[in-house]
Amino acid sequence: MADNNNSGSNFIVGGYEFLNEEDAQKASMDESKIKLLEARVNASRPNDIKAVYEKAIENKIFKSPIGWEYLMNLRAKLLESGFTQEDLIPIPLNVTFTRHSAFENMAVKQRIKPQKEDTGADFGKIFSIILNIVLVILVIVMFVIASKSDSDNIINYKRNITNRYSAWDEELKEREKAVREAEKKLGIEAPQRYDGDIGED
């Protein structure tokens, strides 16, 4: 499977020509791993092939097109043996195929990207305003509840005490009136009132 020919600046491994020696070495390592796997795996059992396929992807064993091609061959065998596309995990390619020189060839105006309006800041402002409005409403509701409450608090203590005093005064006047009427019926002479005696002596 290997076709190693590193003459001059050409780095050819397994029918692929690489741009640098490091990539060619990765491809050569992938070839060695493939030979080792083929020697150890029983290619007639689909479950063994699936296990090798998944482990190779999970452990990121292959780092070159040679390894990816081997994984594609395993995937094809698995599909032929009855597995579906959904049963098999995809082969990740951790490289970009877009050349960076295209960016360098752009005009300066094309390279400068207009700044997008920061929608996050707008959301933050709107959220802050809504939160402040909700807090103001809550404070107003708390004051209304506190002012209408029967229990004494800093807002309604004067009104509550005045109302209680008025109620007691009314109750005392009614009792005094009832006592005087009872005294009249019984013929008891009412004692002089204390507030009338003051200053007469």
Side-chain angles (χ1 to χ4, degrees), residues 142-157:
M142 284 172 47
F143 273 107
V144 168
I145 290 171
S147 67
K148 298 208 178 217
S149 173
D150 290 337
S151 61
D152 294 337
N153 57 49
I154 196 163
I155 296 170
N156 66 1
Y157 74 93

Side-chain angles (χ1 to χ4, degrees), residues 41-175:
V41 176
N42 185 355
S44 63
R45 292 175 31 194
N47 286 334
D48 290 349
I49 297 171
K50 188 171 187 251
V52 169
Y53 173 81
E54 289 177 349
K55 282 289 179 189
I57 291 173
E58 287 169 8
N59 297 332
K60 298 178 182 174
I61 292 175
F62 298 116
K63 303 190 184 329
S64 75
I66 292 172
W68 302 331
E69 183 181 352
Y70 175 70
L71 288 174
M72 278 305 295
N73 290 337
L74 291 181
R75 186 180 183 88
K77 286 180 185 176
L78 290 169
L79 291 171
E80 286 173 11
S81 68
F83 287 100
T84 63
Q85 293 282 357
E86 290 77 24
D87 295 334
L88 305 175
I89 55 177
I91 301 167
L93 300 179
N94 299 322
V95 294
T96 179
F97 294 102
T98 307
R99 292 190 151 201
H100 298 291
S101 60
F103 181 75
E104 295 168 3
N105 294 337
M106 284 190 195
V108 176
K109 286 183 180 178
Q110 290 175 317
R111 276 189 257 166
I112 298 171
K113 294 181 180 176
Q115 287 185 340
K116 293 181 179 177
E117 292 182 15
D118 191 6
T119 55
D122 291 343
F123 174 75
K125 287 178 185 175
I126 292 169
F127 181 74
S128 174
I129 291 168
I130 290 171
L131 187 63
N132 286 334
I133 290 169
V134 168
L135 288 174
V136 167
I137 291 170
L138 285 175
V139 168
I140 291 169
V141 168
M142 284 172 47
F143 273 107
V144 168
I145 290 171
S147 67
K148 298 208 178 217
S149 173
D150 290 337
S151 61
D152 294 337
N153 57 49
I154 196 163
I155 296 170
N156 66 1
Y157 74 93
K158 184 176 179 182
R159 181 175 48 107
N160 284 354
I161 289 173
T162 305
N163 289 346
R164 267 193 228 123
Y165 177 76
S166 297
W168 293 338
D169 189 39
E170 283 293 322
E171 188 179 340
L172 284 174
K173 283 180 182 174
E174 286 176 12
R175 284 186 180 183

